[in-house]
Amino acid sequence: APEDAESRWQCVYCGRMLCNAGAKSNHERWCKQQQEKQALEEEAAEAAAARSSPLPEPDAPEDAESRWQCVYCGRMLCNAGAKSNHERWCKQQQEKQALEEEAAEAAAARSSPLPEPDAPEDAES
């Protein structure tokens, strides 16, 4: 069966197909080392992350919470990334609203001109 012959030279770690038994043996030795190395690196990274960034206490002082409060609208956010994204959006919204208000005021000023002071009020009579 050709399928059985091909699967004889398939890496047991990653599934890669190799061209002969020697290539399979060399590749599997390398692949096993890479997987062990990656597992050790992941464990070390998880341990370092656990040591360097402890979760905030549930009864943390108010100052800790205010770190993640929007400077534009006062909304409380759950972490620094959410605060950064929200503040970027909130700033854009406030700038957009200010421009819309200015445009509305300018349009209102253009559409209702004041009467000229020299013009008589009853010009039609």
Side-chain angles (χ1 to χ4, degrees), residues 38-60:
Q38 184 178 0
L40 289 173
E41 288 173 353
E42 288 173 0
E43 288 174 17
E46 288 172 6
R51 287 191 306 271
S52 66
S53 60
L55 295 175
E57 298 280 330
D59 298 328

Side-chain angles (χ1 to χ4, degrees), residues 6-7 16 19-20 28 30 39 46-47 49 52 63 72 79 82 85-86 88 94-95 111-112 117:
E6 288 181 12
S7 64
R16 180 175 173 184
C19 60
N20 60 44
E28 283 182 344
W30 175 85
E46 288 172 6
S52 66
D63 293 342
Y72 299 103
N79 60 45
N85 289 337
H86 172 80
R88 185 179 319 115
Q94 287 193 353
E95 290 172 350
S111 67
S112 58

Side-chain angles (χ1 to χ4, degrees), residues 11-99:
C11 175
V12 297
Y13 298 103
C14 70
R16 180 175 173 184
M17 297 300 295
L18 288 304
C19 60
N20 60 44
K24 178 183 182 232
S25 176
N26 288 336
H27 172 80
E28 283 182 344
R29 184 174 31 252
W30 175 85
C31 201
K32 181 180 178 182
Q33 290 173 348
Q34 294 302 308
Q35 288 192 354
E36 289 171 352
K37 180 180 173 185
Q38 184 178 0
L40 289 173
E41 288 173 353
E42 288 173 0
E43 288 174 17
E46 288 172 6
R51 287 191 306 271
S52 66
S53 60
L55 295 175
E57 298 280 330
D59 298 328
E62 198 168 286
D63 293 342
E65 290 180 4
S66 66
R67 290 184 303 182
W68 300 323
Q69 184 173 11
C70 176
V71 297
Y72 299 103
C73 70
R75 179 176 173 185
M76 296 299 295
L77 288 303
C78 60
N79 60 45
K83 177 182 184 247
S84 177
N85 289 337
H86 172 80
E87 284 182 342
R88 185 179 319 115
W89 175 85
C90 200
K91 180 180 179 184
Q92 289 174 348
Q93 295 303 307
Q94 287 193 353
E95 290 172 350
K96 180 180 174 183
Q97 185 177 0
L99 288 173

